[in-house]
Amino acid sequence: MTHEAYEDEEERTFVALPPARGRGFAGTWWGLAWVKAVEDSALDTEQLKKGRKQARDGAVGAVSIRPGRITAVVRDHDGTGHRSDVLLQELSEDAWDRFLDMAVDRAGHIAALLDRDMPPHLVEDAAEAGVELLPGIGDLEPECTCDAWDLCPHTAALCYQVARLLDQDPFMLLLLRGRGERRLLEALQVRSAARAEPAGRESELAVDAGAAGVPAVEAAGVPAVEAAGVPAVEAFAAEPAKTAATEGIASSLLAAPPLPEEPGRPPSLETETEAPEGIDPGALEFLAADAAVRARRMLAEVLSPGCTEHAFGQSAAGPPEGLAAGLTVDQDAVRLAATARGALPPAVADRLAASCGRGRPGFRLAVRAWRFGGAAGLAVLDGEPVPDDVRARAASRLQSAADWYEEERPSLRAAGNGRWTAGPGTQLRVGADGRWWVFTRTAGAPWSPAGPPAPDPASALAAFRTADVQGLSGGSVDGLGSGPSHPPGDGGA
């Protein structure tokens, strides 16, 4: 996190954030979803507008978040402080049980949560299980020492400030609903292990039977097959044809290993023995490290009971990567660099940059775009054509007032192919998928993506401006070893 926080398992306190005048209050999906939920559920929009201004002016002090309650001191323009609280009902034990069952049943969710990430689809899937994470109409109960009977500017300002904090750590929402991060993750691990236990006992039965001279397939209740057996490639196929020869074999051979805390690190190939001609030890180590990262992610996916119908590496939550996913050599070179652990060895970075013909500066920009949006981000960076219908909808949306607060609407000038100039060195772009990007540049430098895409133009600009104010966009992002601390032309944004 970029701001200081004091915490224990049941309460977290965040120091006051700087003013954000003229800026949006959220940049991530979670922050934006919170703002939308607050605004959709509020009955008095005038109080919201006043609160938004107070939050922009930096009137909200340190924010304390604990189960069912958010608290802060909010100051008026004359310096008078008011203790403001916003209450949100904690989830019941039954609701938490349904939430945990849902998370364990879906491979992508449990893998992300155990990796301390909160995927946006968690809200929709939780709602399907009857668990509402975000507040609805009447769910937020304001309390303030200004004696307002309902939502007041102080409690509204506190709600907006929470959106900025959710940008940094969406787990705060789960704490507000009653579960701290540590307690939640421990419960997920216990529940996941309990679900996996029957499969583990089946495997132990097969091993014990083998030691006693009984064929493993018989011990597991699998019909006997001909002595010739079944080829491994058939038994472990992604979607095996379930015949008398293959039914149950894959599940009875091996139990899945436990999930390691981190991907394994390959052994060093830098030895006194000279490598054969044409073999680059550094490149081999890099490829092995990439394989380890992907292997851990696939294992996390298949450890969930929700993936029992999928083979390793082919779950619904984990599509193939690299050339197997239909990427070009150019795209896969960028992907390898963007997903690498740590800085690339210079020789590896040079080879990857040369393989896509971008040159080192252009390759840094491509890596930055991939980290923000994958292949779609790279397409926007490269200016690939945007379908006519997408451009038409985008132009219509820019003319609509629905996405903008009146005081935040920028002056835009069309620049062609789904691009609009939004000020000096700032450009709005829409991708073929309809998502919006902010690009920036300094004099003489190429355009660079300033951050991840957003679902609408107002959110994209708000996230960029918020990051600019809070200084969230600095630091090394290219992962290419030597070179500038950020890609050329990103303007520090």
Side-chain angles (χ1 to χ4, degrees):
M1 292 185 298
T2 58
H3 57 277
E4 192 172 2
Y6 307 94
E7 61 187 281
D8 58 30
E9 177 59 14
E10 295 300 329
E11 182 172 358
R12 301 189 65 184
T13 301
F14 298 84
V15 299
L17 295 177
R21 297 184 184 91
R23 315 298 188 185
F25 284 95
T28 67
W29 187 93
W30 287 98
L32 293 168
W34 173 267
V35 169
K36 186 176 188 304
V38 168
E39 294 179 345
D40 287 351
S41 62
L43 301 178
D44 191 337
T45 57
E46 188 61 30
Q47 299 297 338
L48 277 181
K49 182 178 290 187
K50 292 177 180 177
R52 189 167 66 238
K53 186 176 188 311
Q54 281 194 265
R56 277 210 183 97
D57 292 341
V60 182
V63 178
S64 173
I65 297 179
R66 54 194 180 279
R69 184 179 292 267
I70 312 164
T71 304
V73 173
V74 182
R75 298 195 177 276
D76 289 329
H77 293 299
D78 62 3
T80 304
H82 298 275
R83 171 175 167 148
S84 300
D85 293 80
V86 175
L87 282 62
L88 179 63
Q89 186 175 4
E90 297 178 46
L91 297 179
S92 66
E93 287 299 318
D94 179 63
W96 275 115
D97 283 340
R98 294 198 302 274
F99 176 84
L100 292 169
D101 284 339
M102 177 279 300
V104 170
D105 284 341
R106 287 165 172 78
H109 289 339
I110 190 169
L113 287 168
L114 291 177
D115 218 19
R116 289 171 174 78
D117 185 22
M118 288 257 296
H121 290 306
L122 195 66
V123 166
E124 298 172 5
D125 292 339
E128 288 182 6
V131 181
E132 296 293 340
L133 295 180
L134 291 167
I137 295 177
D139 287 349
L140 294 176
E141 298 181 25
E143 295 180 354
C144 186
T145 56
C146 74
D147 295 330
W149 68 274
D150 197 1
L151 185 73
C152 66
H154 310 110
T155 50
L158 176 56
C159 286
Y160 278 109
Q161 197 79 326
V162 168
R164 297 176 68 184
L165 298 177
L166 281 170
D167 273 355
Q168 306 305 315
D169 186 0
F171 272 89
M172 286 170 30
L173 179 59
L174 299 181
L175 174 59
L176 184 58
R177 283 298 199 179
R179 292 285 175 94
E181 180 179 338
R182 189 182 307 115
R183 184 181 173 194
L184 173 72
L185 295 180
E186 287 174 354
L188 279 173
Q189 290 171 334
V190 168
R191 195 163 298 226
S192 179
R195 294 282 188 90
E197 190 176 339
R201 283 201 300 268
E202 235 177 62
S203 252
E204 290 172 9
L205 174 64
V207 171
D208 292 343
V214 180
V217 291
E218 291 182 18
V222 179
V225 296
E226 295 181 5
V230 178
V233 69
E234 181 180 346
F236 289 100
E239 294 292 342
K242 294 195 173 180
T243 65
T246 62
E247 183 78 38
I249 291 180
S251 63
S252 66
L253 289 178
L254 294 171
L259 182 70
E261 291 187 7
E262 293 184 349
R265 292 191 176 274
S268 173
L269 299 181
E270 294 294 339
T271 65
E272 295 180 359
T273 304
E274 187 174 348
E277 184 178 356
I279 300 298
D280 182 344
L284 284 179
E285 287 183 24
F286 167 71
L287 291 174
D290 175 69
V293 170
R294 288 187 287 152
R296 182 186 181 279
R297 182 164 60 251
M298 289 190 287
L299 177 59
E301 292 163 1
V302 300
L303 282 177
S304 166
C307 264
T308 52
E309 294 301 316
H310 299 278
F312 288 105
Q314 294 294 323
S315 72
E321 297 182 81
L323 300 178
L327 300 181
T328 65
V329 172
D330 175 16
Q331 291 171 325
D332 198 39
V334 175
R335 178 195 67 81
L336 285 167
T339 57
R341 298 171 67 190
L344 298 181
V348 172
D350 288 338
R351 287 181 63 174
L352 290 175
S355 70
C356 59
R358 292 176 181 270
R360 195 66 174 268
F363 192 59
R364 286 195 185 96
L365 289 177
V367 168
R368 181 180 176 89
W370 191 280
R371 287 184 174 175
F372 285 141
L378 191 61
V380 175
L381 172 71
D382 291 341
E384 293 186 6
V386 178
D388 292 342
D389 60 327
V390 175
R391 284 192 287 113
R393 286 196 300 270
S396 175
R397 186 156 198 174
L398 288 175
Q399 297 301 317
S400 169
D403 291 331
W404 310 91
Y405 295 127
E406 183 178 345
E407 64 271 27
E408 294 176 347
R409 188 184 182 95
S411 175
L412 299 173
R413 178 169 54 85
N417 191 32
R419 305 178 184 186
W420 291 265
T421 300
T426 306
Q427 195 175 76
L428 263 176
R429 297 187 182 186
V430 67
D433 57 3
R435 294 186 298 171
W436 292 82
W437 298 73
V438 173
F439 275 65
T440 60
R441 72 172 177 183
T442 54
W447 288 100
S448 169
D456 60 79
S459 298
L461 278 175
F464 160 63
R465 289 165 175 165
T466 300
D468 193 28
V469 167
Q470 296 180 5
L472 303 181
S473 54
S476 177
V477 293
D478 54 35
L480 296 178
S482 60
S485 61
H486 49 74
D490 71 349

